């Protein structure tokens, strides 16, 4: 739905609430809550539940929330990369193919954290150092890639002359 010639409605309310809720869960669990605390576990479960809901929304949600709109196929990735290298980036109302690849990777990492965190509560894996280390490596990878994701949103916003961070708050992309 177009608001005017320079604005397009992109992210629905569910996607925006999901995004900022997941950001909050990840930041609180990584930087504020002690590993292994009950609160840490419940925030991890909440983050995993959010991802599961987002996956469902990727099939039934609004147009730009659906995976079919942005799934990063090899052909889409090649076209996007070629356009970027040529200095004429292609425009995408929703996720561009590299952004989609990053988003799907971040979702997979959060689910991996949920699984490895849950496994640590099971008798079969209680106290397993390799599992604790794997959980920590995944958490560090998530923080690293989330930071890259945020930086890429700022850089791509400048290249595309649109404020992608504001779009994730308002749901509307305004191009300059």
């Amino acid at each position: 739905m177009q608001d005017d010639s320079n604005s397009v409605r992109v992210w629905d309310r569910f996607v925006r609430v999901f995004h900022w809720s997941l950001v909050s869960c990840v930041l609180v669990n990584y930087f504020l809550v002690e590993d292994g605390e009950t609160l840490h576990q419940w925030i991890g479960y909440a983050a995993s539940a959010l991802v599961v809901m987002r996956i469902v929304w990727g099939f039934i949600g609004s147009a730009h929330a659906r995976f079919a709109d942005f799934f990063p196929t090899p052909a889409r990735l090649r076209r996007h990369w070629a356009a970027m290298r040529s200095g004429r980036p292609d425009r995408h109302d929703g996720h561009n193919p590299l952004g989609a690849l990053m988003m799907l990777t971040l979702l997979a990492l959060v689910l991996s954290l949920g699984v490895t965190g849950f496994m640590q509560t099971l008798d079969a894996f209680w106290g397993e150092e390799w599992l604790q280390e794997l959980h920590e490596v995944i958490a560090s990878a998530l923080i690293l890639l989330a930071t890259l994701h945020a930086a890429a949103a700022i850089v791509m916003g400048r290249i595309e002359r649109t404020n992608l961070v504001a779009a994730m708050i308002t749901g509307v992309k305004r191009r300059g």
Side-chain angles (χ1 to χ4, degrees), residues 88-154:
R88 295 184 308 268
D90 47 348
R91 290 196 177 221
H92 299 270
D93 287 340
H95 287 292
N96 69 47
L98 288 174
L101 186 61
M102 177 63 83
M103 182 266 253
L104 294 172
T105 301
L106 293 170
L107 295 182
L109 288 172
V110 171
L111 284 180
S112 298
L113 281 169
V115 169
T116 58
F118 174 72
M119 287 173 66
Q120 291 179 63
T121 68
L122 301 175
D123 288 342
F125 297 101
W126 184 260
E128 289 288 342
E129 195 170 315
W130 68 267
L131 186 58
Q132 293 171 7
E133 289 174 7
L134 177 61
H135 188 76
E136 290 173 12
V137 166
I138 294 169
S140 295
L142 176 63
I143 293 299
L144 176 68
L145 290 179
T147 302
L148 180 61
H149 165 70
I154 293 167

Side-chain angles (χ1 to χ4, degrees), residues 10-12 15 54 57-59 61-67 69-70:
V10 183
W11 309 122
D12 62 49
V15 168
R54 178 60 182 95
W57 198 247
F59 293 102
S62 62
H64 295 300
R66 291 182 183 228
F67 296 130
D69 183 63
F70 62 82

Side-chain angles (χ1 to χ4, degrees), residues 6-8 10-11 16 20 91-94 150-176:
N6 291 325
S7 296
V8 62
V10 183
W11 309 122
R16 296 187 326 264
W20 295 112
R91 290 196 177 221
H92 299 270
D93 287 340
I154 293 167
V155 170
M156 286 307 297
R158 290 187 186 265
I159 290 170
E160 295 175 353
R161 295 180 11 186
T162 186
N163 188 334
L164 296 174
V165 176
M168 190 49 79
I169 295 169
T170 66
V172 176
K173 273 189 181 180
R174 288 186 173 77
R175 294 194 169 113

